[in-house]
Amino acid sequence: MITPEIVNDQYIVQVANENHLRLAETICHEMEESAKARGTGIAKRSPIYVMEKMLEGKAIIAMTLSGDWVGFCYIETWEHGKFVANSGLIVHPEHRKSGIATRIKGKAFELSRTMFPDAKIIGITTSLAVMKINSDLGYQPVTLSELPGDEAFWKGCQTCANFDILTRTNRKHCLCTGMLYDPEEHKQEEKTEKWNFLKESKLYERWMRIKERILLRLKPADRSRSRKVNRELETIA
């Protein structure tokens, strides 16, 4: 059982339930507005879908002690539970930079490990802040080929502004970075050194700028150049 957590006497972070159904439309609207503001998409979800996650006990919600909505995240499973994704992380604009996103992700990670202890936990994001949170939880950056091959998984990217890049490169490259937590690796007594996000973040930012220049300038009609750039990117990666 995932117990509610009181954070700094301001917020309560818990598994969402039927009492939170009324907030589904507000949460979906904020997800969409956040994606527009960043200029990069997140998979668009309907209020009905978010409600289903709440009723299934597969969502984490943060509220103020007075009952105002603060943040949200949900979990999805792929390939019969082989993979679990912590998706749709959103924080109300008035509560950003408060550290609550880290608490929400932590609870979603705990819920994932409790419900699906043998599953690999995955994430796709363009946010350096989310990558930092994931890294602290034990995720490692991976190639997109290590993520689920399920068509339904990639269908969720269709509402993203960068979906064209993903399709043009045959799902080999995108502006998003894939990350993965493998429970089997963490069971080993001798663990390799964790990826140090703080140490490598500047290098990663430089790589993201290079990747954006290449992928955003690549035109669908230029097939020959597409093949050439893809080969070059595979070599770089």
Side-chain angles (χ1 to χ4, degrees), residues 38 40 89 101-102 105 124-136 141 175-177 179 195-198 200-209 211-212:
R38 295 198 313 271
T40 56
L89 176 64
T102 300
K105 280 285 290 185
I124 303 180
T125 184
T126 58
S127 168
L128 287 173
V130 173
M131 288 179 222
K132 168 64 168 63
I133 295 171
N134 286 348
S135 178
D136 289 343
L175 297 187
C176 284
T177 293
M179 301 191 76
W195 178 53
N196 188 324
F197 183 89
L198 292 176
E200 305 294 341
S201 59
K202 294 297 180 183
L203 178 63
Y204 183 81
E205 287 180 38
R206 181 171 176 270
W207 161 240
M208 282 293 292
R209 289 195 295 270
K211 187 162 69 167
E212 285 181 9

Side-chain angles (χ1 to χ4, degrees), residues 141-154:
V142 295
T143 62
L144 299 185
S145 64
E146 295 180 64
L147 302 179
D150 192 331
E151 288 297 323
F153 174 79
W154 296 104

Side-chain angles (χ1 to χ4, degrees), residues 179-192:
M179 301 191 76
L180 181 146
Y181 173 94
D182 188 343
E184 287 301 319
E185 290 186 0
H186 289 265
K187 288 179 183 177
Q188 299 174 7
E189 291 183 0
E190 293 184 10
K191 301 185 181 77
T192 56

Side-chain angles (χ1 to χ4, degrees), residues 146-164:
E146 295 180 64
L147 302 179
D150 192 331
E151 288 297 323
F153 174 79
W154 296 104
K155 185 177 180 181
C157 295
Q158 289 181 354
T159 55
C160 176
N162 299 317
F163 184 65
D164 176 61

Side-chain angles (χ1 to χ4, degrees), residues 66-201:
S66 59
D68 295 326
W69 171 73
V70 173
F72 181 79
C73 184
Y74 61 87
I75 68 174
E76 296 177 291
T77 58
W78 307 98
E79 297 188 10
H80 306 290
K82 180 180 177 181
F83 294 95
V84 176
N86 296 164
S87 304
L89 176 64
I90 188 70
V91 173
H92 191 286
E94 294 180 4
H95 299 276
R96 289 172 188 168
K97 297 184 179 180
S98 66
I100 195 62
T102 300
R103 297 289 186 167
I104 295 170
K105 280 285 290 185
K107 278 291 182 184
F109 181 81
E110 183 183 353
L111 181 61
S112 300
R113 295 286 292 124
T114 299
M115 296 185 74
F116 307 98
D118 297 323
K120 295 179 179 179
I121 306 177
I122 58 174
I124 303 180
T125 184
T126 58
S127 168
L128 287 173
V130 173
M131 288 179 222
K132 168 64 168 63
I133 295 171
N134 286 348
S135 178
D136 289 343
L137 290 170
Y139 289 67
Q140 296 285 334
V142 295
T143 62
L144 299 185
S145 64
E146 295 180 64
L147 302 179
D150 192 331
E151 288 297 323
F153 174 79
W154 296 104
K155 185 177 180 181
C157 295
Q158 289 181 354
T159 55
C160 176
N162 299 317
F163 184 65
D164 176 61
I165 296 173
L166 188 68
T167 55
R168 282 190 279 115
T169 60
N170 295 317
R171 297 180 189 165
K172 291 176 180 165
H173 309 291
C174 192
L175 297 187
C176 284
T177 293
M179 301 191 76
L180 181 146
Y181 173 94
D182 188 343
E184 287 301 319
E185 290 186 0
H186 289 265
K187 288 179 183 177
Q188 299 174 7
E189 291 183 0
E190 293 184 10
K191 301 185 181 77
T192 56
E193 183 181 355
K194 286 185 178 181
W195 178 53
N196 188 324
F197 183 89
L198 292 176
K199 181 180 178 181
E200 305 294 341
S201 59

